Amino acid sequence: MQLTNIVVNQSISPEIEMPLSWTRLFYLEKEYGDSFFILDIKKFESNYQEFLQAFRAIYPNTHLGYSYKTNYIPKLCQSVNFMGGYAEVVSQMEYDLAIAIGVPPSRIIFNGPLKYSEDIERAILAGSIVNLDCLEEVDIVTALARRLPDQQIAVGLRCNLDVVGIGRISRFGFDVEGGALDDVFKVFRELNNCSVLGLHCHISSPTRSVESYKLRTQKLIELSDYYFQEKPPQFIDVGGGFFGKMNDDLKAQFDCYIPSYQEYAEAIAPQLKSRFPGNYTPELIVEPGVAVVADVLKFVAKVVGMKTVQSRQIALVVGSIHNIKPTLTGKELSLQVYRSEENSDHKNISPPVDLVGYTCMEHDCLYNNYSGQIGIGDYVVFDNIGAYTVVFKPPFIRPNPPIISYDSTLNEYDLIRRRETTKDVFSTYVI
């Protein structure tokens, strides 16, 4: 397998704020409906390049594998492919998407705990990087290598490391301390046509701290020194899980420090630069998802109802918590309310107001105690919702809303996912 170094010379352009107003949202509603997502593709590309260059400034042989599971909008994934990044996938569905949008198999990293034998064989034989997670997958690869003795088989191995700040024992990868990783290397040494290309580690930390990345990088380097004594591995993959950009009011709701791209790069890249100073340097692969996509999506929902229940003021919007914060329970996202200056006869109530969703669940409150003026016909725009919202949203109560893409260079909006229909939701059922 050849790991090519694709470099796209793209400068990091200054971000242009998406111009929104009540009038603009009104016309967007006429075309797309009373709730929709807006994707700022230029901001995504800027985040991607800024993150990548923070690492490359220290360790040039760095590449990003964009985490499809975080947000697999095809337009985003196509942009990553254009910029030379890997597609980091954790399912056959995501692998198929990467192939469908033109990603070369050699630029796909296949991770995840559940890979069927046919998925593993297809990816390996196509030249993708497959990071094995468990002994059952080792058995699949072993059987493949024995069935095809003239075929060179190459894989990566996911390492289960003891990293500070996790707070629990991770269920992913081969236990380093318990000897499972050592056993896997022994299996592959006995196969003449099977080799390990590199080591991978992805461990979720609640604080996503710089210290945890320093430690996992240090341990991966130590493992590479131990298992790759003749020559360094082709890659060292430190995974993802980094904090992304967020507004100050959201940042203040976290009880931990929020590192920058630069701080993450300084925790990881200098260690590889110090350990591999020569001409041959392993490829450093980093797998950001949240870090580059968190702040590139907005959700627009129209206010359609107002009521007072005892002392509680309530505004009903065409959206739900599933649209904006499936993984941020207990936090209030940044929002802005756009009001019509001419619409003076719409119904208003005095703050504070709870902005509630369309579902029949009591906990479906998109924002608690909004302190500004709000009324029927206004538009509420939530920010910092790029991570996991689109991929986690179930067709609960209402089909999924459309996604439109904003291009700040052209100041244009384009539909990139149409509104889901009743037929879409029930098309897989036998009626």
Side-chain angles (χ1 to χ4, degrees), residues 51-326:
F51 191 94
L52 177 60
Q53 296 307 324
F55 281 82
R56 281 190 174 173
I58 304 170
Y59 191 76
N61 194 13
T62 300
H63 289 86
L64 303 188
Y66 172 64
S67 169
Y68 272 35
K69 68 180 179 294
T70 311
N71 188 323
Y72 49 57
I73 295 174
K75 189 176 182 70
L76 286 175
C77 301
Q78 287 173 318
S79 178
V80 171
N81 188 41
F82 172 75
M83 292 186 289
Y86 286 104
E88 189 269 314
V89 305
V90 294
S91 68
Q92 190 60 42
M93 178 186 75
E94 294 175 4
Y95 191 98
D96 290 342
L97 170 61
I99 295 296
I101 64 174
V103 181
S106 62
R107 303 300 296 175
I108 301 176
I109 302 170
F110 199 169
N111 292 325
L114 179 61
K115 311 181 197 75
Y116 294 107
S117 58
E118 57 269 28
D119 303 338
I120 291 175
E121 292 185 9
R122 173 192 176 196
I124 288 176
L125 296 178
S128 301
I129 299 173
V130 180
N131 289 318
L132 306 183
D133 184 79
C134 61
L135 292 176
E136 289 77 14
E137 293 181 353
V138 173
D139 292 339
I140 292 170
V141 174
T142 300
L144 176 65
R146 289 172 175 164
R147 191 170 76 246
L148 302 174
D150 297 327
Q151 175 75 44
Q152 290 300 311
I153 307 296
V155 298
L157 300 178
R158 182 168 181 171
C159 306
N160 188 304
L161 301 173
D162 185 12
V163 177
V164 65
I166 303 304
R168 63 183 180 277
I169 298 174
S170 173
R171 68 185 181 95
F172 300 110
F174 298 99
D175 183 10
V176 173
E177 298 297 329
L181 184 65
D182 201 48
D183 293 339
V184 176
F185 269 96
K186 290 176 182 177
V187 169
F188 287 148
R189 287 193 194 104
E190 296 175 358
L191 297 170
N192 294 328
N193 62 331
C194 193
S195 61
V196 178
L197 289 181
L199 302 176
H200 171 257
C201 176
H202 179 89
I203 299 177
S204 299
S205 165
T207 63
R208 307 177 188 230
S209 69
V210 166
E211 290 72 22
S212 72
Y213 286 95
K214 283 182 180 177
L215 183 57
R216 77 186 63 182
T217 305
Q218 174 191 329
K219 291 191 173 186
L220 282 172
I221 291 174
E222 291 172 353
L223 288 172
S224 74
D225 287 342
Y226 180 76
Y227 288 110
F228 298 86
Q229 295 180 10
E230 294 183 4
K231 65 177 182 178
Q234 287 198 30
F235 69 83
I236 292 177
D237 187 335
V238 298
F242 307 94
F243 271 121
K245 296 180 180 179
M246 62 184 78
N247 297 318
D248 290 341
D249 54 348
L250 177 58
K251 188 181 295 186
Q253 297 176 56
F254 286 85
D255 57 0
C256 60
Y257 179 71
I258 311 297
S260 66
Y261 293 170
Q262 188 65 38
E263 288 171 304
Y264 282 129
E266 291 173 353
I268 296 169
Q271 295 190 61
L272 278 89
K273 180 180 180 181
S274 174
R275 174 60 189 84
F276 305 106
N279 293 328
Y280 182 87
T281 60
E283 181 178 17
L284 169 61
I285 299 176
V286 191
E287 299 173 346
V290 172
V292 294
V293 82
D295 67 336
V296 307
L297 206 66
K298 297 178 185 290
F299 180 67
V300 179
K302 189 175 184 178
V303 180
V304 294
M306 309 290 291
K307 68 167 67 170
T308 301
V309 180
Q310 298 182 39
S311 61
R312 188 183 184 189
Q313 311 290 344
I314 298 170
L316 175 64
V317 304
V318 187
S320 79
I321 56 173
H322 300 296
N323 295 122
I324 67 166
K325 51 181 180 180

Side-chain angles (χ1 to χ4, degrees), residues 22 338-340 343-349 374-378:
W22 185 89
Y338 291 86
R339 316 200 70 206
S340 169
N343 193 9
S344 59
D345 60 344
H346 62 193
K347 183 178 179 181
N348 292 276
I349 55 179
I374 193 169
I376 293 176
D378 294 344

Side-chain angles (χ1 to χ4, degrees), residues 17-26 28-29 33-40 43 247 249 295-303 317-320 323-324 332-339 355 366-367 370 373-375 377-385 404 406 413:
E17 188 62 30
M18 188 184 302
L20 292 180
S21 65
W22 185 89
T23 302
R24 183 180 287 260
L25 293 171
F26 175 78
L28 289 174
E29 179 199 351
D34 50 13
S35 67
F36 48 88
F37 293 98
I38 303 177
L39 170 67
D40 191 334
K43 179 179 281 190
N247 297 318
D249 54 348
D295 67 336
V296 307
L297 206 66
K298 297 178 185 290
F299 180 67
V300 179
K302 189 175 184 178
V303 180
V317 304
V318 187
S320 79
N323 295 122
I324 67 166
E332 304 293 358
L333 295 172
S334 301
L335 65 80
Q336 188 166 353
V337 175
Y338 291 86
R339 316 200 70 206
L355 309 184
L366 288 76
Y367 196 94
Y370 175 68
Q373 293 293 320
I374 193 169
D378 294 344
Y379 298 98
V380 181
V381 180
F382 292 91
D383 208 349
N384 272 114
I385 62 159
I404 60 178
Y406 172 69
Y413 294 86

